[in-house]
Amino acid sequence: MDLAAQVAELRAHGSSVETVGLSVDSGTLTVSLAGGATIATGANNSAVFTLSGTLAQLNAALATLSYRSSLIATQPRILTAIINAGISAGLVLSLPILFTDLGDPGL
């Protein structure tokens, strides 16, 4: 599921999206803030943070979202996103992060 598309869909239905909270159960998330979004809570390159900005700024940041596992991952991890669309509970998405064995990296 594409988080940027979810934000755009909420906006198309008349909601004013202002924040997107992101968290993972293990590892770190990183986004580029070059598009103008800001970190409202938490810190970039961490397991939990909240992005704030306009729809265009949030979409730009989400398009650069990357995940780095803290361990050699063999089990799926969960990415949780809470999209504040002007409704009290927000939209909560839980997305699996699946891993592919790329073989021996030749270390």
Side-chain angles (χ1 to χ4, degrees):
M1 188 171 291
D2 181 359
L3 292 178
Q6 291 294 320
V7 171
E9 182 178 334
L10 287 170
R11 180 61 166 219
H13 288 89
S15 297
S16 175
V17 177
E18 298 174 355
T19 62
V20 176
L22 300 169
S23 66
V24 287
D25 57 349
S26 176
T28 59
L29 298 169
T30 304
V31 295
S32 170
L33 301 175
T38 59
I39 302 290
T41 61
N44 206 356
N45 197 30
S46 69
V48 179
F49 58 83
T50 300
L51 293 170
S52 181
T54 66
L55 176 64
Q57 292 168 335
L58 292 173
N59 279 336
L62 291 172
T64 68
L65 180 64
S66 65
Y67 169 77
R68 183 175 181 108
S69 177
S70 57
L71 304 169
I72 297 175
T74 57
Q75 298 297 316
R77 301 291 185 236
I78 301 296
L79 166 66
T80 301
I82 301 173
I83 302 171
N84 179 352
I87 55 179
S88 59
L91 172 65
V92 179
L93 303 171
S94 291
L95 309 167
I97 300 172
L98 304 176
F99 300 94
T100 302
D101 183 2
L102 299 177
D104 184 358
L107 298 176

